[in-house]
Structure formats: structure tokens, C-alpha cells
Amino acid sequence: MAARRSRRSLGAGAFLVLAALVAGCVSEVDSDDGSPAESADPSDLSDDSDDGDPDADSDAASGTETASDDDEQPGAGSTPGFATEPPDPDGLPSLSTPDPDTRAGTLDNGLRYLVRSNDNPGSKAELRLTIDAGSVLEDDQQIGGAHYLEHMLFNGTERFPENELTQILRSFGAAFGADVNAYTSYDETVYELNVPADGPGGANDTVRLALEVFEQWLTAATLAPADVEAERGVILDELRVRDETSQGRLGKAVTELFLDGSPYEGRRPIGTEAAIVATTPDPLRRFYDDWYRPELAGVVVVGDIDVDRTVEWIDELFADEAARGSSPERPAPIVDPPTSTQVRIESDPDLVEGYAFVTLPTSIDESLSPEAAFQEAIHRSLAFDVIATRLDDSATRGEAPFDSARVDSSAFARSMVAPEIFVTADGDQVEASVQAIVDEYERVRRFGISPTELERAVESRRSRAIQSFESRGSRQDSSYAEEYVRHLLEGEWYVTAEQEFAAVSEILDRATPANVVHVFVDQLDAAGAHVFVAVRDDEVDLAPTADRLSEIVDGVGDRDLDPPAAPVEVGDDLIDPVPDPVEETGVEAMIDDSFTSILEPTVMTFPNGVRFAYNTTTIVESTVFLDGRSPGGLAVLDEDDVAAALAVPRVISESGVGDVDRVALEAFLDDKEVSLGVSVDLFEETLSSSAATSDIETLFQLVHLTMTAPRIDDVAVDRYVDDLLPLARDPSIDAGYAEYVALRDARYDDPRFLAPAADEIEALGPAAVSAVVADRFGDAGDWSFSLSGDVDPEVVRDLARRYLGTLPATGRVDDVDYVEPPPPDGVVVAETTAGEGQTARISLLFSTTASSDRRDDVAARIVDEVVSDRLTTVVRERLGETYSPFAVVTLGIGDDPALDGYITISANPDDVSAVSAATVEELADLGTVGPSQSEFDSAVAVVSEELGFVSDVQINQEVLDVLLDPSGTTEFRDFVFESELVSGFSRTEIRSIIAEWFPTDRYVELRIVPR
């Protein structure tokens, strides 16, 4: 059955999108080591937090640090202040009554558990084993041991020796990867399993098996000397991958700034190279016996389960477990940040763009009630939101020394509160940027915040709270599981959605400029400002000294400051008046007979040629997803326009629409849940968007204006050029970009597939980007849109008539052949240098074509799993050479879609040839002998599980495939029941497919070695 899939070819779109993404990113410091970042605060109900990899840690460049001798806070008492008033927590809705739908208990031995029945996504269960012990508890002989031990538990227990455990779990459909199943932080270790479940009435054998695994992890680690030795190379490679990058080196410097002098000093979870090399089973066993004990452990189970039976299993498996070792009392380490100014300046040769942040770190106030702590966290967050908005608005309009500003956190330990403002800036602008942040802090002290500013911040937070509350019925298993983990480890409350929404609403209703500023000033007065600056090596001479930055911080009270500028005013609508509706020329159901409730799309066709399909579901409650596509893309543009086309996604995202600049647009959208992005791919242009159901008209208006009145702001283009130009001039400063450039150069000779040259980036201006946007998005005649989500069909039809039926069109329909250039003959091996340190990477690209049959899409998924499993088992585990092998097969568009098999593996530079040879050897074995029965069964189980769930975005892409792909079909059964196709494959067929898709005599290999 022909039907194009949504897995895009690496050759076509993914690498081109990567270029835009790389150009848009800045090298910044993750909240690594599992830190409870500010965005994870329960006061922030947004879904866009990024806490970094919990086990990531980093080595440092040398830097300069200074501490002021004056403990008086900057400006404290030196100038008249804004009249403040402390917030009153009395009468707030209680957060002390646990959610009654959660079964919580404690066994006699101290082990705690939380169990909940939940049917989202259904037929699954999320399990967590929490250990209230992390690297901060290591003694001097155990450095890096908590993390090393985490690795070892996957290498064998008494019941599940060596890699048998992973294979058993994979056979039930549990996916595994380098980081997805556990993390170790300073304070804790958490193990994660996601397994199929039979539902409340089923046997749930896999859930019991997962609990048995947890019991073994808690009590029965083998820690065999040979296994410890075998894992050493893997962990050393992980250390290289994490540490020997710009982000890693600077990240270590950041943690030193905040944690040196505390119990956390020298206790990075990843450890040190010397410690890893010296690790033996004895210190690991001692850490395991001392800290892996029932009273420090917790079990979480959420999913399609029988709660009573699950609790019985927990009792049966864990009740008789007892503590081992000396059972020392678990200390509660505290970070007590100095109250004097701290400054650290670092440089790095691989930093793409400089940055700075000013943090106000303090210890958590344990005396507050849950309600008072929640109120204080929300008020503090509101204040920092206002400050970031002020600064970022200035940057967006080109009126600041920095490019962007945002709220971030450096809370690396549970006991810390460390909000900060983070800005990106070149070396010669760092001093002015730091002063701008410090001055804005002081400006809030002196002049406060306006009611308009507070209302904007409050309504933004309220919008997120409403969206979270209204979609509570589709809350996912993983969301509950992570909340329960925080409860077990940090004491965070867990209440009903109604209780939480009531508390958030009441706190926001009570918020005033006086009490929000009071909370901020308390933080400002209690903290010693911590300033961290990172600049490129070639900009060191332009950066200020640490003493100079200390002077700026400590002298803020003596500076004359103007009151803040008046906040931007926004209207009630983006479009006024709204367009009159245009009646459709046809309406057609895409499915003749309804066979599933989640997919019943209807297509409206308009006189301008636009086709719009809508499908109503409650997969995610109170949310809609709208996607659009048009044939054309880079394939129909002149070669000279490629650089401008690659800039479109970033520039559009940072510009306004029509007469509304980005500052005013952000203000307008602050109280709404709406997102929109565009791209120009090789063969098509796309639009992807989503919104809360209540904001759906705003979403349609934004789509309409993006296509009819796009605004290309000069500042947005300048930022794009400024960020991409260093990479274009010297790709070696970023290993990812260097790989992109070199792999493209080795595979293609068509400019549409290559990275833009430095001279093309330098010449890029607003006019060129505007021309591409007008050409690719300004003529809607061959555009198709698909909407899926929780919405009233009549509302959707009216909005489509007004905002899609009225889009301009000339009748042009681009003719695209969807054919990529053939790959080079034979084996092409190229090498490029990138980055400092001792981390290398091998990437292999196998390029061929596939068919448009749905089975090829399913085969690609099975091959993904087989190849990844084999490389993980052999190259990672058996050879002990690499931390993170990765393989993926992607398919493109058309009757003979391009197919790319992409593999990337990290390695020690001295081992590049050996790892490369081992990888090719295993691919050859898979193509001749084929996968083992265990490998095949595991892959089939994992893919069957993956394909058993459908999202609104997948529905949209499938509908658009049918409407636009030349090989599309109106048969949706294979999409909905795609998992049933898995059983049609045999080991023999998968062997043949691997031989065809991964020919070991025809591929491109790229070796990225350090400079």
C-alpha cells in the first residue's frame, strides 16, 4: 500500500534545518549535574523548561575569580527605594492535602512508594526507582563512584547477569539509550523504565518484571571486577564527550563558581579522569552498601495498571529488604553562597558567541510553609520575568549591548535558589552588558515595576496555568512520575489539578507590584551577586577584568539611573477588522467509512487553491496543532537564494508581523499559548504551529499575517549573520557544525545541500530574506493545511474561511521531482578537525532509495533498533570504546524516496580507526548473517510499542502526506494500524534490507578529530 511517511531524509531536510538551528544557537551553560533548575520550580507551569542532561558535567578553562571585601549588597540602603510590602500567605489554598488518586505508602523498612492509575497514553507504565544519594555523598576514594555505580547496575545483578537485563527488558518493548534510563546528580540517583502494560484488568507481567529489576538494582548488584574494567572505557568516553567541549569546560567553571567552598566542591557526578581510571569494585561496593538501602529509596509506578496489585507486588518484593553496610546517617549538605560579589571570567577557543549572567544565589528558606514557599517562588519568578522582558525588548530593538536576555538559574544543589539573567554578547560588549543587568536590578529596587508590566507577567503565567489545568485529563504518565520523584527526593507537594490551579490563581490574583518587588529586593539584599562571563579566545583582550566587573556591581548604588521606559501597549487583536469569510468550493471527507475515532479528517477547498483538513481529537485536551506545506522549497529557488532561505526560520521567529514589531508581538502573545515556526526545506516549505483551544483565532491570525504581511526586522537578520558568521569562517569551533559542513561536502556537490560560505553570509540582508519569504510563503495557491486537536468543527470552519480562504494566490503550482543527487561511488573517507580536547567522532552516511510502501517506513524503524542495539552491545559494551553509538534511518519524499542510514559514534582519537573498522564489520555481519533472534525480537517489540501511539502532529503530517505527496493515498488504515505491519517481517527480510540500505562498499565516512 503506497503512502509516504513523515520520517524525512537526512539528505533533504534535516541537515538544512540543522544549519539554521546551529546558526540560531549560542554556546551556553546547561544546568548540569541534575540541578533543580529554576524552570523546574513548581511555580512555573510551563512545558518548555530545559534542565540539561542530569549527568552532564564539564571541565574548565583557566579563569580569574575575585571576591569583594565589602559584604554590603549593591545599592542596599544607598538610594530611596520603591515602597514594598511582604506578601501574605494566610488564606491561600492548601497544598498539604495529597492527591487522593495517588496511592502512597511506606514499608516497615522505610521504602516509600507512590502508585497511580492513568490512561495517558494508555497501555504503558512509567516506573522510577529513586535513591536519595548522589555524588555529594562520595568519600575521597569514591570520586565519580555514584555515577560509575549507576552504569554498573545495567551490567549485571545476581538474577540478571551482564547484559541479560537489557535484552530482557527490550524484549518487552522497553527502549534503551545512553541517557534515557538513569541519571546521577550531586544529590540523587534515579532509574527509569517505560514498559508496556496490560491495563487494570490484565496481568501486567512487564510491570512486575520492571519492579523485580528495581529490587535487583537496590539489593543485588554484582560489581564483578571484569565488568568494572569493561565499563571504564565507556565512562572515560562519556567524560570526554561531556568535558572536552566549550560547553563542558565552561560548565565546570560555572559549577566551581557556585559550589567551591561547599560540601559539593570536587564532587562532580562524572568524576575525574584519574578517579575513573583508578576505580575498583571495593569503593563502588562500599557506596552501594552504605547508600542503596530501603529508607533512602522510593518506587514510583504510573500508568495503565491495577493499583492494588502493583502495591502488593511492591510489598512482596521490597518489604523484606534490609540495609547493608554501615548505614550512615544521610547528611543534608547545604550550599551557603557568599554574600560578597563573586566574579569569574573565562575564555574558550571553541565558543561561538560570548555570554554573561548575573545570579543572586541564596539558600532555600526551609522555615516557610508549602503555601508561603510557593507564593514566594511565583513572586520571585514574576519579578525576574519583568526584568528579562525589559532587557530583551531593548535587545530586540537593537538598543542594548547584548543580543538577547532571558531568565535562567544556577541552582546546582537542592538547597540553592539561584535566579539569574543571562545575556549573549561579544567580548567588547560584556562590560556594558553586565552593567545593564546590574542596573536593571537596582532600577527595580528604586522604581519598582509598573502595574502594566506585572499584569503582563501575571497573565503569561496564568495562561500557562489555565492550559495545564484544562488539559489535565490528558496528563501523561511521565508527567506524574516526575512530580512524584520530586516529592520523594525534595519534598515537593503533590495535589490535585484543581488544588494546584486554585493556589496558582489565588497567588496571581493577590500579586501586586509592592509585594512582588519586596520578594525580589529580599533576594537582592540576601545574595552576593555572582557574575560569570565567557568570551571567545580571540576576544580576551576586549573583555573587562574581574576587578572592573566587581566595581560595576558594588558601585551600582552610586549611579544615576533613569526610571524604566514605559511598557509597550498592545491591542486586542492582530488583525482588525478581520477578513470577511470566503466560502469553500468543496468539502470532502477523507475517509469513507469511519474505523477509528481519532482520525476522521474533512477537507475544505477554497477558490484560492488552499486545501484545509480538520480532525477533532482529545489526544491532548484543550490544544490544537496546525501544520501546512507547499511543494517547492530550495529546489525551485536560484542558487544565489539558498543562503537567504536557510535564514528564514530564525529570522521569521525573531521578527514581528505586519506593523507589529517583535516587542509588541511578544507582549500581545504573553497571555496566550500560541507558537508558530516556518522552514524552507529542499523540496517544500512548511509551517508548524500549535495553540490552546481558547487562543485558536490568534493562531489563525498569526498564520495569515506570516503569509500576507511578514515582517523581516533588520535586527533579526543582523543577529543571524552575527551568530553564523564565526561558524562559516571556521567550522572547527563547533564539532556539530564542522560535521555538517564536511559531511555535506563529501556527499554532495549541489549548493542546495551545502553550508553557505562566509561571503554569502556576510552579504545577507533583509531584502534577500524578504524576497524568499514572499516567494515561498506569499503565494498560497499550492498550500495545504491540516489541523488536529480539541476544537469545535464549526469554529474551525469559520476561521479557515476567514484566514486561509483569503490568502493571496496566483494559481502557481510548483512542479518538484523530489530526486536527490546520487551518492558518490565506493567508500569515501574524509577527515576534519574540530574542537579542543581528546574527543573524536566517526559518522557514516549510507545513501540509497526506498519505495513509497508503508512497510519501508516500518522496516526503517526496525533497522534503527537492530543497528543501534548491535553497536551498543559490541562497540560500546564489548569493546568498551564509546559512550553513545547512535543510528537512524530516514526516508524522504516521492515515488522513489531518498533513504539515508546515518551512524555516529564518539571515540578516543587514538581509537578512531579501530572503532570505524568495528562498526563496518558489524554492519557487514548484520547484512550477511543478519540479526540474532534476540536482536530481532527486541527490535520488533520496541517498534510495536512505538507505533501503538498516535499524536496530533503525526495525524497532521499523515493528512498532508495524502494531500501533497505524488505517491500518497487516501487509505489511512496502514497509518492507524501501522504496528500490525511489524509482525510481517522476518529476520531474513531484515537482513536483506540492512544489506541493501547499509552497503559496506558504498558510503561516506567522516572522521572528526580534535585540533
Side-chain angles (χ1 to χ4, degrees), residues 74-124:
S78 58
T79 57
F82 179 76
T84 68
E85 179 182 358
D88 182 4
D90 288 346
L92 288 174
S94 173
L95 297 172
S96 301
T97 304
D99 182 352
D101 290 332
T102 303
R103 181 80 62 85
T106 303
L107 302 182
D108 291 343
N109 59 12
L111 183 139
R112 295 183 294 161
Y113 62 82
L114 293 101
V115 179
R116 183 187 187 96
S117 176
N118 187 55
D119 61 357
N120 291 297
S123 301
K124 301 284 284 185

Side-chain angles (χ1 to χ4, degrees), residues 116 118-120 465-476 479-480 496-499 501 620-623:
R116 183 187 187 96
N118 187 55
D119 61 357
N120 291 297
I466 290 172
Q467 179 67 2
S468 177
F469 179 69
E470 290 186 345
S471 62
R472 63 193 182 280
S474 56
R475 186 177 179 184
Q476 298 293 294
S479 176
Y480 281 113
T496 66
E498 289 77 11
Q499 289 173 287
F501 182 68
V620 181
E621 294 180 346
S622 302
T623 305

Side-chain angles (χ1 to χ4, degrees), residues 151 230-238 876 880-883:
H151 275 244
E231 195 68 16
R232 196 182 317 278
V234 173
I235 298 175
L236 285 171
D237 189 61
E238 180 180 356
R876 172 180 161 129
E881 298 286 359
T882 181
Y883 170 61

